[in-house]
Amino acid sequence: MRKLLVANRGEIAVRVIRAARELDVRTVAVCSETDTEALHVRMADEHVVIGPAPAARSYLDADAVVAAAVRLRADAVHPGYGFLSERAAFAQQVIDAGMTFVGPSPEAIHLMGDKALARSTAARAGVPTVPGSDGPLTDVDSALETAGHVGYPIAVKAAAGGGGRGIRVVRSPAELREALPLAQAEAKAAFGNGEVYLERFVHNARHIEVQVFGDGERFVHLGERDCSLQRRRQKVVEEACAPNLPAQVRQDMTNAAVSLAAAVSYSGAGTVEFLYDSARQEFFFIEMNTRIQVEHPVTEMVTGRDLVREQLTVAAGAPLSFTQQQVEPRGHALEFRLNAEDPGAGFMPSPGTITVMRMPGGPFVRIDSGCEQGSQVSPFYDSLIAKLIVWGDTREAALARARRALDEIEVRGVATTAPFLRSLVDLPEFAEANYHTTFLESWMAGHASDRDAAGRAA
């Protein structure tokens, strides 16, 4: 691999460029017309404009990306996360053009990208799945029959969904009759595939995911992450390793993830996501993401492994550089997503120019960002400004470091979620790791009620 085209933008593009540079691989950045001065563009050896600002006409235009890679004689393409990263057709297009796709095979992407197909594949591999339908549902009668066997509440999920999108929770047959056609229409509009399936809704579940890696012949895990603190089903804080997880559950979960990777002859970085019912100490497969994850740095911090570098070397044909026995998680890491959003205005996006950007430093503090002072936060893309990652030899030490680091953040010109993140760290439930996937929204709703009551009293 001599020249790599990075088919993404923002912090993940910067992350990939850094890994490529350490391997002495030249890089090509793609950008929209509005991103020509972006950090990832200036860090790459070359860049090419592939279209106007809307992502559908630039970063999501597979033909434009592949044509740019061919024109600039790249011999590999890294998709990052989001955009085209989990599109099997794009991976095949890259391969058909004579280049290396940095990721799993198109077949593995397709198999795991169809959530209903992934669910049946996981079941065949012996991975526990949530009780539900065997495949996509076609009509209300079959949905009602399945729900009757599984029991309410039920989660209606888009087969092509992911990242928490395309999910509806229903609590009765009447709600299911109403929700099914709506869910199918929404899935068709959002993902181009109207198929949906049913799963039992697990109360107060934790979201725990296992980082796996494969080279097509050997498969390993790099421990798990807890991603239960979510807002609108989007992760807010992630940590490794998952706190308060029984040793046997941890072992069974990581073994199951490796079994699934082996079942699809996986190559590259992947994440197997589970719901964990702590009351019953049961876990269930949700989905597998066939790409690098936003939260991969917490795994890097506790294992000392450079996952993006490993992606590049495995894609270039090298075997995995480590064995399972060489993965020895140490200490604890937390990641906080700093977004250009206004928590005081319902987390409305806050696009604009960053006039001041001072990020924290000090020992065991890492900042992954595609922004700097003077950067434009565009309304066309995700509002992520930076990821703050901290490490400590214990979870308590990592939390103390997080408090200090969050206090040091200074961003002006746009509103950010820094004050919100800082308030989370002081929550007793956070300190005790006593939370689940709906905890954060419940706490926020209570917090809003308190504010409203105070306002009425005044």
Side-chain angles (χ1 to χ4, degrees):
M1 189 183 298
R2 290 173 297 182
K3 185 186 281 191
L4 174 73
L5 183 136
V6 184
N8 217 294
R9 66 181 300 280
E11 68 88 17
I12 190 59
V14 171
R15 173 73 183 87
V16 174
I17 290 167
R18 283 176 168 150
R21 186 154 293 165
E22 290 179 16
L23 290 167
D24 200 24
V25 174
R26 291 180 60 80
T27 53
V28 179
V30 297
C31 65
S32 66
E33 292 168 356
T34 197
D35 267 349
T36 54
E37 297 299 320
L39 182 60
H40 78 281
V41 172
R42 289 186 286 109
M43 285 186 65
D45 296 302
E46 301 173 62
H47 76 273
V48 57
V49 179
I50 53 172
R57 300 175 61 191
S58 51
Y59 297 104
L60 284 168
D61 187 339
D63 291 340
V65 172
V66 173
V70 171
R71 188 166 66 253
L72 294 177
R73 298 181 183 277
D75 52 18
V77 174
H78 192 305
Y81 55 69
F83 291 138
L84 300 167
S85 62
E86 291 184 287
R87 295 197 179 184
F90 174 66
Q92 189 63 58
Q93 202 172 342
V94 169
I95 294 168
D96 290 345
M99 297 176 287
T100 298
F101 179 75
V102 182
S105 67
E107 293 77 16
I109 297 173
H110 170 70
L111 201 55
M112 293 296 108
D114 184 314
K115 306 309 175 191
L117 204 53
R119 178 183 156 83
S120 58
T121 303
R124 284 197 299 275
V127 180
T129 58
V130 186
S133 56
D134 292 331
L137 295 160
T138 54
D139 56 72
V140 172
D141 288 341
S142 62
L144 288 169
E145 183 179 354
T146 301
H149 293 303
V150 173
Y152 293 89
I154 289 283
V156 183
K157 297 187 171 184
R165 299 175 63 206
I167 300 175
R168 279 172 170 255
V169 178
V170 298
R171 302 180 185 281
S172 68
E175 286 186 22
L176 181 55
R177 285 181 184 279
E178 186 178 338
L180 190 71
L182 292 174
Q184 290 172 321
E186 288 173 359
K188 178 68 176 175
F191 309 110
N193 179 348
E195 291 182 340
V196 299
Y197 64 103
L198 301 183
E199 282 182 352
R200 192 182 88 197
F201 179 71
V202 182
H203 290 282
N204 297 338
R206 288 169 63 186
H207 180 123
I208 297 178
E209 59 187 30
V210 178
Q211 177 73 58
V212 295
F213 224 106
D215 60 11
E217 295 182 0
R218 291 192 299 132
F219 313 95
V220 300
H221 72 81
L222 293 98
E224 77 289 342
R225 301 183 285 256
D226 192 315
C227 307
S228 302
L229 284 175
Q230 302 178 5
R231 189 179 68 82
R232 295 176 182 169
R233 297 196 173 95
Q234 298 297 307
K235 299 163 187 171
V236 175
V237 180
E238 301 100 346
E239 57 185 305
C241 301
N244 300 340
L245 194 63
Q248 189 61 52
V249 172
R250 193 187 311 273
Q251 182 176 330
D252 291 346
M253 190 182 288
T254 51
N255 287 345
V258 172
S259 295
L260 181 57
V264 295
S265 301
Y266 201 79
S267 182
T271 300
V272 184
E273 300 194 341
F274 297 96
L275 283 179
Y276 172 57
D277 183 340
S278 56
R280 303 171 69 170
Q281 296 195 4
E282 292 179 326
F283 64 88
F284 304 104
F285 169 76
I286 310 174
E287 62 181 0
M288 181 177 188
N289 292 313
T290 53
R291 54 175 165 76
I292 196 76
Q293 293 276 96
V294 179
E295 56 270 27
H296 77 274
V298 291
T299 297
E300 293 184 326
M301 293 287 265
V302 298
T303 63
R305 303 287 171 184
D306 183 333
L307 298 185
V308 178
R309 179 190 175 98
E310 196 73 18
Q311 279 190 303
L312 295 175
T313 56
V314 166
L320 272 175
S321 68
F322 54 88
T323 65
Q324 186 67 70
Q325 289 69 33
Q326 291 173 311
V327 179
E328 298 177 356
R330 177 176 174 274
H332 201 89
L334 295 155
E335 176 179 293
F336 299 82
R337 300 189 189 193
L338 182 68
N339 287 77
E341 296 174 351
D342 186 351
F347 292 88
M348 285 283 290
S350 179
T353 302
I354 298 176
T355 56
V356 174
M357 182 166 171
R358 183 170 68 88
M359 290 288 107
F364 308 113
V365 174
R366 167 176 165 178
I367 300 293
D368 280 18
S369 177
C371 296
E372 57 189 348
Q373 188 165 309
S375 289
Q376 294 289 323
V377 178
S378 170
F380 290 101
Y381 313 118
D382 185 272
S383 63
L384 183 68
I385 295 177
K387 301 185 305 196
L388 164 66
I389 307 105
V390 298
W391 181 91
D393 55 359
T394 63
R395 188 170 187 268
E396 291 70 25
L399 283 168
R401 185 158 285 135
R403 292 187 188 95
R404 187 268 293 170
L406 286 164
D407 284 340
E408 289 183 15
I409 291 176
E410 183 181 5
V411 177
R412 296 181 186 174
V414 298
T416 79
T417 53
F420 172 70
L421 296 172
R422 181 63 182 83
S423 67
L424 290 183
V425 184
D426 282 339
L427 288 177
E429 292 88 347
F430 190 5
E432 297 164 6
N434 180 25
Y435 48 74
H436 46 77
T437 54
T438 57
F439 164 80
L440 191 51
E441 293 195 333
S442 299
W443 174 76
M444 290 168 62
H447 211 52
S449 299
D450 291 344
R451 287 199 305 271
D452 292 345
R456 286 194 297 273

